[in-house]
Amino acid sequence: MADSSFDIVSKVERQEVDNALNQAGREISQRYDFKNVGASIAWSGEKIEMRANSEERVKAILDVFESKLVKRGISLKALDAGEPQASGKEYKIFASLQEGISQENAKKVAKIIRDEGPKGVKAQVQGEELRVSSKSRDDLQAVIALLKGKDLDFAIQFVNYR
């Protein structure tokens, strides 16, 4: 019988992020505490730019955006938000989305699977993803449960389960 396998990836659905950004923008334009403070949130190239006239307001915009991401099922571990920066009379926060599993993070996950996972489970690094294979599907599900229980510092999804 052939081995069963699945891939561990770190991807963010751009459309969902776009929807969360639009929802946050609508809420910011309607909320009373954001009136007349130059509050805005928008794409700036590949980054998301948040602006307001004070550091507290720009942090509140980030808070609104994070709540919209959570509602849309996007892990906040994929969002890399910088510190508020003063730019003239306004403050800005730039946030970027992290996609793909770096080589060192892939090695960490493979080590966790090797050390704590069931015997006979193999993990191979393939570019920005990790393929996990085993003869037993139960072992694969045990690996998924193990990784979901770990507090990794990056977002992971499990795809191509076959």
Side-chain angles (χ1 to χ4, degrees), residues 10-11 20-22 31 46 54 61 68 78 88 91 94-95 98 124 143 156 160-161:
S10 180
K11 287 192 168 75
L21 187 86
N22 292 334
R31 267 178 48 176
E46 281 298 304
S54 75
I61 292 171
K68 299 300 179 192
Y91 285 82
F94 287 100
Q98 295 177 322
Q124 306 141 316
V143 168
I156 59 173
N160 295 339
Y161 187 85

Side-chain angles (χ1 to χ4, degrees), residues 6-126:
F6 66 88
D7 294 336
I8 301 173
V9 296
S10 180
K11 287 192 168 75
V12 177
E13 204 168 314
R14 176 88 180 208
Q15 185 61 50
E16 288 297 327
V17 175
D18 226 22
N19 292 342
L21 187 86
N22 292 334
Q23 284 181 331
R26 264 196 305 277
E27 182 172 325
I28 289 164
S29 69
Q30 292 171 353
R31 267 178 48 176
Y32 180 76
D33 57 336
F34 289 124
K35 291 276 188 244
N36 303 322
V37 295
S40 68
I41 181 170
W43 285 104
S44 172
E46 281 298 304
K47 293 185 182 253
I48 298 162
E49 180 183 18
M50 294 158 259
R51 336 168 141 225
N53 67 355
S54 75
E55 194 171 336
E56 291 76 35
R57 291 272 198 282
V58 81
K59 284 182 177 174
I61 292 171
L62 177 61
D63 225 30
V64 169
F65 181 54
E66 286 177 344
S67 74
K68 299 300 179 192
L69 286 175
V70 167
K71 280 185 184 169
R72 295 210 151 268
I74 297 172
S75 171
L76 293 182
K77 291 177 182 176
L79 183 71
D80 181 24
E83 289 299 308
Q85 304 166 339
S87 168
K89 291 183 178 176
E90 64 183 9
Y91 285 82
K92 295 180 182 179
I93 292 180
F94 287 100
S96 59
L97 298 168
Q98 295 177 322
E99 289 192 292
I101 300 175
S102 69
Q103 288 292 326
E104 65 184 51
N105 286 339
K107 286 178 183 169
K108 279 185 208 168
V109 172
K111 183 170 174 28
I112 290 171
I113 293 169
R114 245 192 341 271
D115 295 348
E116 301 174 34
K119 297 282 179 249
V121 176
K122 297 185 288 290
Q124 306 141 316
V125 178
Q126 296 180 332

Side-chain angles (χ1 to χ4, degrees), residues 3 113-114 117-123 132-136 139-140:
D3 283 6
I113 293 169
R114 245 192 341 271
K119 297 282 179 249
V121 176
K122 297 185 288 290
V132 180
S133 57
S134 171
K135 293 204 182 309
S136 162
D139 287 352
L140 291 180

